[in-house]
Amino acid sequence: MAYEDRTYHGVQGAGSDEDAWQPARLLVEKPEDGPTQRENVKVLRELKAKDEDELGGFGWGYIGGGTSRTAAAVLTDALDLGDPDECGMSLIAYPQDDALVALREDFCIDVLSQFCDEWRLGRAAVLRWARGWYVQRGITELPAALRELPPLVDIDV
């Protein structure tokens, strides 16, 4: 698959009525360059949490189930792994892949727990973070999207 740049855009749920709960939205957008890049954003698709009605869907800015669901959705999309339930990164489906579950939870801690109500994160940043995660752990079996990145070189400091 050819590299496709995209931006993940998280928006905490907000309704017109302060008392009405609205689920958080996770959009996949085509990035645009320039000073007006956020004015004419093209939404490619919206990622959905399968268990939104039962468990509350996506979340960020903390560490918990909603953050884990967001991490699984962003990582599986960025790494072109397909459905979180089918690749082993899901919170609720089995069997689970130990490395992908650890990747998901570390992404929650390192990245998503730091976000505020609305955020944007480029796919390239997600891929760089994931590549570093694999390298730090000495895991050489990489998802295809990470194998296609330029090779890492040692830098003498």
Side-chain angles (χ1 to χ4, degrees):
M1 173 180 239
Y3 176 78
E4 176 192 45
D5 197 16
R6 47 195 178 249
T7 300
Y8 300 96
H9 181 190
V11 182
Q12 281 291 14
S16 57
D17 181 359
E18 290 287 329
D19 296 326
W21 176 83
Q22 295 290 321
R25 296 183 66 203
L26 187 53
L27 307 172
V28 181
E29 301 171 343
K30 179 178 176 15
E32 299 291 334
D33 293 329
T36 60
Q37 69 184 42
R38 293 186 184 164
E39 291 178 18
N40 299 314
V41 172
K42 178 181 178 190
V43 176
L44 300 173
R45 63 189 164 277
E46 182 169 353
L47 301 177
K48 297 286 188 179
K50 291 180 182 178
D51 56 2
E52 185 174 276
D53 293 333
E54 299 86 26
L55 300 175
F58 295 130
W60 47 82
Y62 66 97
I63 297 173
T67 312
S68 292
R69 281 184 287 286
T70 303
V74 169
L75 288 167
T76 56
D77 190 83
L79 296 170
D80 295 323
L81 295 177
D83 184 274
D85 291 347
E86 294 173 14
C87 74
M89 194 183 292
S90 172
L91 281 68
I92 56 174
Y94 291 93
Q96 292 183 331
D97 179 292
D98 291 341
L100 290 177
V101 169
L103 175 75
R104 178 194 75 208
E105 291 308 306
D106 285 348
F107 190 74
C108 290
I109 294 166
D110 291 353
V111 181
L112 295 176
S113 67
Q114 309 303 312
F115 285 170
C116 57
D117 287 350
E118 185 173 358
W119 52 270
R120 281 187 169 81
L121 180 65
R123 180 180 185 221
V126 175
L127 295 176
R128 283 192 307 271
W129 180 91
R131 179 77 170 268
W133 185 91
Y134 277 91
V135 168
Q136 286 178 335
R137 281 149 193 80
I139 301 172
T140 56
E141 187 64 32
L142 302 175
L146 297 179
R147 288 192 304 266
E148 295 168 3
L149 293 176
L152 296 174
V153 294
D154 290 331
I155 299 175
D156 294 325
V157 185

